[in-house]
């Protein structure tokens, strides 16, 4: 189902509708400041498995957390002083930062290295959803392996069968987030995307 939500002033009742879908264990598609994402409730194991199935991802494919703000991050990731300064400077923004996971992170989501990818997109719709939900949304890009990301909500609805809700907030981007591993010194760029890497090279 398509649900149009204003990108700048998300309607609270529509945000609530998206949250109710997540609380029911469903998978939704939503806009970010880079590309559209697919996601579900972090704490619902069955929903996470459904997300892997809908995107046809290998079990080793890593997922990112979308948090509403910096205050939420410390619950799920170990944030040392230097990492915090970087997060504060670059978030919200088009970055995914890899950090050591805390015990709050379900084992299903952790990498073998016990790390986790954290995103705080500069997009009010998904941030409003995570604020209302009260915990992060697990996120992956709305694209098939080897294909470009989908920029149109209708394309996403038609491509990924099993989504309970597709939020339409206008055309999405084509360039995914920049991924930077903050568990390494100096930080290691794992994927160059929409965010500037000038300070990290």
């Amino acid at each position: 189902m398509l649900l149009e939500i204003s990108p700048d002033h998300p309607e609270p009742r529509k945000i609530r509708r998206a949250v109710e879908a997540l609380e029911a264990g469903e998978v939704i598609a939503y806009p970010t400041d880079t590309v559209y994402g697919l996601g579900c409730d972090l704490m619902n194991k069955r929903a996470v498995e459904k997300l892997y199935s809908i995107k046809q991802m290998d079990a080793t494919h890593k997922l990112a957390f979308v948090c509403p703000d910096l205050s939420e991050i410390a619950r799920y990731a170990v944030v040392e002083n230097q990492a915090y300064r970087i997060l504060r400077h670059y978030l919200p923004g088009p970055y995914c930062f890899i950090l050591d996971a805390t015990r709050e992170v379900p084992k299903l989501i952790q990498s073998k290295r016990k790390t986790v990818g954290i995103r705080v997109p500069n997009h009010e719709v998904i941030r409003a959803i995570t604020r209302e939900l009260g915990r992060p949304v697990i996120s992956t890009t709305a694209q098939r392996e080897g294909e470009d990301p989908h920029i149109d909500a209708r394309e996403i609805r038609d491509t990924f069968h099993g989504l309970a809700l597709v939020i339409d907030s206008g055309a999405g981007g084509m360039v995914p987030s920049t991924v930077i591993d903050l568990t390494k010194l100096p930080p290691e760029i794992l994927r160059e995307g929409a965010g500037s890497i000038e300070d990290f090279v």
Side-chain angles (χ1 to χ4, degrees):
M1 186 188 118
L2 278 177
L3 181 65
E4 289 186 19
I5 299 184
S6 166
D8 302 314
H9 304 287
E11 302 87 340
R13 65 183 176 79
K14 293 183 178 179
I15 292 297
R16 184 66 228 163
R17 205 148 153 204
V19 169
E20 285 169 357
L22 292 169
E23 289 173 338
E26 299 291 354
V27 178
I28 69 170
Y30 46 83
T32 75
D33 53 352
T34 55
V35 299
Y36 267 86
L38 308 176
C40 65
D41 180 358
L42 159 71
M43 295 302 179
N44 190 320
K45 183 173 183 284
R46 191 169 291 176
V48 174
E49 289 168 349
K50 190 186 294 185
L51 175 59
Y52 272 94
S53 173
I54 287 171
K55 194 177 168 181
Q56 299 172 5
M57 290 183 293
D58 185 87
T60 59
H61 188 99
K62 294 295 159 267
L63 304 172
F65 284 32
V66 175
C67 296
D69 50 48
L70 287 182
S71 64
E72 188 84 0
I73 293 175
R75 186 174 166 193
Y76 301 98
V78 179
V79 184
E80 307 289 356
N81 287 341
Q82 183 186 356
Y84 180 75
R85 283 193 291 272
I86 291 171
L87 296 178
R88 192 174 61 183
H89 183 73
Y90 287 96
L91 298 178
Y95 295 89
C96 178
F97 289 108
I98 308 299
L99 295 157
D100 290 316
T102 67
R103 290 181 180 178
E104 293 279 332
V105 178
K107 284 190 168 56
L108 181 68
I109 308 302
Q110 290 183 27
S111 71
K112 285 181 181 172
R113 290 176 47 220
K114 292 189 166 54
T115 57
V116 64
I118 299 285
R119 282 216 68 202
V120 182
N122 190 17
H123 198 293
E124 193 48 39
V125 170
I126 186 57
R127 292 176 70 196
I129 289 170
T130 52
R131 274 196 298 269
E132 177 79 10
L133 181 65
R135 54 189 172 273
V137 166
I138 282 296
S139 181
T140 183
T141 306
Q143 72 182 113
R144 292 283 188 215
E145 190 73 36
E147 297 180 6
D148 290 331
H150 291 287
I151 64 171
D152 181 78
R154 284 170 179 77
E155 282 181 11
I156 293 168
R157 178 196 60 191
D158 296 341
T159 301
F160 298 100
H161 304 294
L163 295 173
L165 195 65
V166 177
I167 295 169
D168 186 355
S169 292
M174 288 286 289
V175 183
S177 58
T178 290
V179 181
I180 298 175
D181 189 345
L182 295 185
T183 68
K184 306 277 183 67
L185 280 176
E188 182 182 347
I189 298 155
L190 302 182
R191 179 179 73 194
E192 189 175 347
S196 170
I197 60 168
E198 199 173 296
D199 293 344
F200 299 98
V201 292

